[in-house]
Amino acid sequence: MTNLQEFERHPLANYLRVERFPHIWCEGCGNGIILHCFVKALDELGANMDKLVVVSGIGCMGRVAGYIQCDSFHTTHGRPIALATGIKLANPQLTVAVISGDGDLFAIGGNHFIHAARRNVDMTVICSNNFNYGMTGGQCGPTTPLLSYTTTTPYGNIEHPFNLVHLAAASGAVHVARWTVLHVKRLTESIKKALQKRGFKFIEVVSPCPEIYGRRNKFGKAIDTMKRYREIAEIRHGYAPSKAEITSEKIVVGEFIDIEKPTYGELLQGQFMRFNKG
Amino acid sequence: MPVRIWRTPLNIEKAKLPKAEIHIIKNQCKGCGFCIQFCPKDVLEESEEINERGVHPPKVVDESKCVLCSFCTSICPDFAIFVVEKLCEEEC
Ligand SMILES: Cc1ncc(C[n+]2csc(CCOP(=O)(O)OP(=O)(O)O)c2C)c(N)n1
Ligand code: SF4
Ligand code: SF4
Ligand code: SF4
Ligand SMILES: [Mg+2]
């Protein structure tokens, strides 16, 4: 049997563009696990793939849009949330998910993130946080921890990083969660929950980049990073995002925020109805 | 406190634990070792074989120990391993 024939028997093959595999990600890269959890969530929800749109930006995680068997956009760097906003407003029937990297969503795309969260635009944003720009060779970005090494911080990073869950919560997201790629079942459950909820939902996924970030910081192989997650991850549902800073000693994971408020699309529709009575 | 009453299930003779069928897409494996490391039942181990990508894919040591938790399937970043329930007739 060829690879492809075997792969077609995988229980999730229907959700993937199998002919494009093996994917480009390095050995032990967490991005493949995030993709798995996402399609597994779709499978468990019995999602209608004709009503789903996946948008990603540029970067290693950005390549994900090309692997899912639905209408998907691999858009320009930093702009997936802007594109997703347009898609959702143009066709409110669609379920829109953005899956992208920490650099894409929080460096060049940072403004789109905070304002879409503030407006409560209906979409699910999943961020692969590998603490650097993997694709372009491992530069320092807004999530790079203090004192860690990257190509552009050879003496150690002196910039304070964003705490992404705090940023999302403070900006107005209605659902905020964080997991590591080791928490496959819980991450899948979180994605299911987010996809079913209205409003701006954010899930941060702490993910190893063994080839670039891991190598520079002497983290060993991907499996060593995974074992480290097992040691230092602490599940705390409902924990205050402001206190959930990631350190080398502790990664607080869990579902932190779950609130309700009207979405931008609903308010827009309401206003449209009010002014178009005649 | 409710008292727990233990009784022998009526169908104990007929009841069978589901059996696993583990599929490994050898040439899609990049050799990260996650499936081997995180399988709760030590069903897998690294094989001697070298695949098209130049790494050792996992091999099944004892399929009967598998509890079908599918953790290996979920943790594999490369969709290179999956477990399904064995479809079988009376005796298997
Ligand atoms: C406008 C623009 N600026 C810069 C780049 C170069 N660039 C490509 S990917 C990337 C960062 C990717 O980092 P991240 O989003 O964290 O993704 P990762 O590769 O780590 O998954 C940058 C700066 C670009 N493609 N376009
Ligand atoms: S460079 Fe890092 S993030 Fe990119 S595919 Fe390789 S391990 Fe993954
Ligand atoms: S399904 Fe569970 S028990 Fe079976 S091989 Fe995979 S991880 Fe091990
Ligand atoms: S988890 Fe997947 S890629 Fe990694 S060793 Fe196992 S089969 Fe290979
Ligand atoms: Mg990154």
Side-chain angles (χ1 to χ4, degrees), chain A residues 108-121:
Chain A
I108 188 170
N111 250 300
H112 296 295
F113 183 90
I114 57 174
H115 294 292
R118 176 178 63 79
R119 295 177 181 130
N120 200 24
V121 184

Side-chain angles (χ1 to χ4, degrees), chain A residues 228-242:
Chain A
R228 184 86 187 132
Y229 292 162
R230 189 165 57 183
E231 282 162 30
I232 66 171
E234 211 176 290
I235 301 176
R236 296 272 203 104
H237 292 300
Y239 196 70
S242 58

